[in-house]
Amino acid sequence: MTSISANLQGVRRRIAAACEACGRAPAEVALLAVSKTWPAACVADAAAAGQRAFGENYVQEGVAKVQTLSGLGLEWHFIGPLQSNKTRLVANHFAWVHSVDRLKIAERLAMQRDAHLPPLNLCLQVNVSGEASKSGVEPEAIPVLARAVVALPGIRLRGLMAIPEPTADQSLLAARFATLRRLWEALRAEGMELDTLSMGMSDDLEVAIAEGATIVRVGTAIFGNRGAPGNLEHNMGQVDEN
Ligand SMILES: *Cc1c(COP(=O)(O)O)cnc(C)c1O
């Protein structure tokens, strides 16, 4: 067994245990394997161990892996910062974008998505950490943005995503995730058919699941430390992008 397949089993066990602890069914929580900075061979190892959904943060790197591994029937999610001059590549090589943070990006993705492809699944990225974070839309601005995005053709608004500020304070983390969930519940109460709360990573997936996560995005716990020797050179190549 490769270490990637052993790690994947470990993460699946963590998800199952977290679900059991809060009375949820493990099938309610999907695992997105975050493969940024790792070569296609590592993704292929994870795919051989049964993992289907992969997350990428950098456009060129992600598109290269999508093309290299196109025969494996994988589902690709774009989860990194997205500039408007790179939307066309993302619109046509990925099935999901979790990091939509303004209407212009959603409009470009909608317009550029090839008409013969199924709708592109989108999540809006929310800043749930106030001053402690710079990425994502302010919670107060989400309802207006969501109403505009949900009306676009070619895309399907699925839900919300957040990356809380790094903290060891579990109750603060829980509060951040709960902010995202309440915002999502308010949109659903308006009649939007949202089914996705993308929250939780290697260090905090249990807290996120307890607060309602439906997709956890896990990199390090599956592939290892991105700064590790052997991956470092690859990491260095990413510094300028985005
Ligand atoms: C890198 C990354 C992850 C995975 O983080 P780990 O701590 O390695 O599990 C999840 N989500 C986003 C948006 C990321 O950029």
Side-chain angles (χ1 to χ4, degrees):
M1 196 190 321
T2 66
S3 64
I4 288 174
S5 81
N7 291 346
L8 264 172
Q9 278 191 15
V11 170
R12 291 191 196 114
R13 272 195 298 268
R14 280 176 64 190
I15 292 171
C19 285
E20 186 166 10
C22 63
R24 300 182 62 198
E28 289 175 40
V29 182
L31 173 59
L32 181 65
V34 177
S35 45
K36 65 176 176 217
T37 81
W38 295 100
C42 293
V43 176
D45 277 354
Q51 179 64 28
R52 308 256 52 96
F54 292 87
E56 288 286 335
N57 287 58
Y58 309 102
V59 178
Q60 269 86 351
E61 178 194 343
V63 167
K65 278 180 240 181
V66 170
Q67 288 171 335
T68 302
L69 300 169
S70 63
L72 296 184
L74 304 178
E75 180 179 272
W76 292 93
H77 296 227
F78 189 81
I79 63 174
L82 184 51
Q83 294 161 351
S84 55
N85 62 352
K86 301 231 179 101
T87 50
R88 186 178 298 278
L89 278 169
V90 171
N92 293 305
H93 288 84
F94 289 82
W96 286 70
V97 180
H98 292 226
S99 45
V100 174
D101 61 359
R102 52 199 192 277
L103 183 58
K104 182 183 174 193
I105 294 289
E107 286 174 340
R108 290 177 66 91
L109 290 170
M111 187 175 61
Q112 293 169 342
R113 177 78 166 174
D114 222 317
H116 69 260
L117 293 174
L120 183 63
N121 299 292
L122 301 188
C123 292
L124 304 179
Q125 184 174 350
V126 184
N127 175 13
V128 292
S129 301
E131 301 281 296
S133 171
K134 283 186 234 87
S135 50
V137 182
E138 295 311 311
E140 310 77 60
I142 284 289
V144 168
L145 177 60
R147 288 173 207 133
V149 170
V150 88
L152 294 171
I155 61 100
R156 189 170 157 211
L157 182 63
R158 298 293 295 266
L160 302 177
M161 182 272 247
I163 312 170
E165 76 272 40
T167 173
D169 180 343
Q170 303 295 296
S171 60
L172 178 62
L173 269 176
R176 299 308 196 205
F177 291 137
T179 297
L180 196 71
R181 190 194 64 237
R182 279 194 297 269
L183 207 48
W184 180 78
E185 283 168 349
L187 297 176
R188 282 160 53 102
E190 281 190 20
M192 288 185 206
E193 290 173 12
L194 308 183
D195 59 6
T196 301
L197 267 177
S198 169
M199 58 189 198
M201 316 199 295
S202 292
D203 289 339
D204 57 15
L205 67 89
E206 284 85 0
V207 185
I209 288 170
E211 296 300 330
T214 68
I215 298 182
V216 291
R217 308 177 312 270
V218 179
T220 307
I222 296 170
F223 295 105
N225 183 347
R226 286 182 291 275
N231 198 37
L232 201 56
E233 200 175 299
H234 192 75
N235 280 341
M236 303 286 279
Q238 295 303 331
V239 168
D240 289 350
E241 214 192 324
N242 289 308

